């Protein structure tokens, strides 16, 4: 077994929220064994509420940028994890023996759109944040 870290890409539609949270959690919890990137099929900009709820958990993603797959360095990924249905259905081709996994999470902005209060909206983001953390904690076994 080589000492090389597993190379994982989290892919979402807009690379603004779920994939950014997954990248942040992976760096914080699994950085010693996994090299991680996130990207989107489109660019929607970094979601401020995602930054806020991650900071509540001690993970700073405020320096992240929303990016397209084409803007990533030329990396031969070991695993591509799609975190939303749209990305799963529209996943681009990756060269090499890439393993594709779909781990769908609810879209926090969509969950929060009907919230009656800011706190209710934040709870939607926190729930998804915690679900993503639970997924990342099981990596790499669940890949």
């Amino acid at each position: 077994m080589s000492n090389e870290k597993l190379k994982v890409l989290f892919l979402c539609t807009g690379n603004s929220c779920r994939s950014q949270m997954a990248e942040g959690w992976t760096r914080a919890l699994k950085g010693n064994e996994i090299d991680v990137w996130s990207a989107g099929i489109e660019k929607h900009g970094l979601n401020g509420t995602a930054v806020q709820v991650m900071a509540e958990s001690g993970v700073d993603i405020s320096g992240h940028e929303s990016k397209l797959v084409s803007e990533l360095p030329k990396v031969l990924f070991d695993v591509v994890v799609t975190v939303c249905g749209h990305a799963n259905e529209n996943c681009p081709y990756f060269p090499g023996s890439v393993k594709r996994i779909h781990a769908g999470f609810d879209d926090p902005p969509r969950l929060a759109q009907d919230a009656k209060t800011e706190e209710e909206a934040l709870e939607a983001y926190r729930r998804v944040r915690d679900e993503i953390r639970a997924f990342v904690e099981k990596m790499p076994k669940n890949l």
Side-chain angles (χ1 to χ4, degrees), residues 3-133:
N3 295 343
E4 205 170 296
K5 291 182 183 181
L6 193 65
K7 292 176 185 60
V8 176
L9 170 66
F10 286 99
L11 187 65
C12 201
T13 300
N15 191 220
S16 68
C17 193
R18 290 167 284 186
S19 53
Q20 294 285 358
M21 289 196 268
E23 179 183 354
W25 278 126
T26 305
R27 280 193 206 292
L29 302 173
K30 300 291 181 168
N32 60 334
E33 56 188 317
I34 297 172
D35 280 333
V36 64
W37 291 264
S38 70
I41 295 169
E42 305 160 5
K43 261 202 303 207
H44 293 173
L46 189 58
N47 181 298
T49 309
V51 173
Q52 179 184 340
V53 299
M54 289 297 287
E56 290 174 0
S57 293
V59 178
D60 180 9
I61 62 169
S62 64
H64 288 199
E65 287 183 25
S66 179
K67 57 207 156 305
L68 300 171
V69 173
S70 60
E71 296 173 311
L72 294 172
K74 296 293 177 227
V75 172
L76 286 176
F77 296 106
D78 298 304
V79 183
V80 173
V81 181
T82 54
V83 293
C84 71
H86 183 258
N88 186 41
E89 291 159 16
N90 297 281
C91 187
Y93 169 78
F94 290 93
S97 56
V98 176
K99 183 175 184 183
R100 260 187 60 191
I101 292 176
H102 179 60
F105 297 98
D106 289 334
D107 181 29
R110 190 168 292 140
L111 292 175
Q113 73 187 6
D114 295 328
K116 308 285 184 267
T117 64
E118 185 180 341
E119 187 58 29
E120 200 177 301
L122 286 171
E123 283 306 316
Y125 279 81
R126 290 178 183 130
R127 176 175 66 79
V128 175
R129 172 201 65 198
D130 295 345
E131 289 170 0
I132 292 171
R133 179 185 181 141

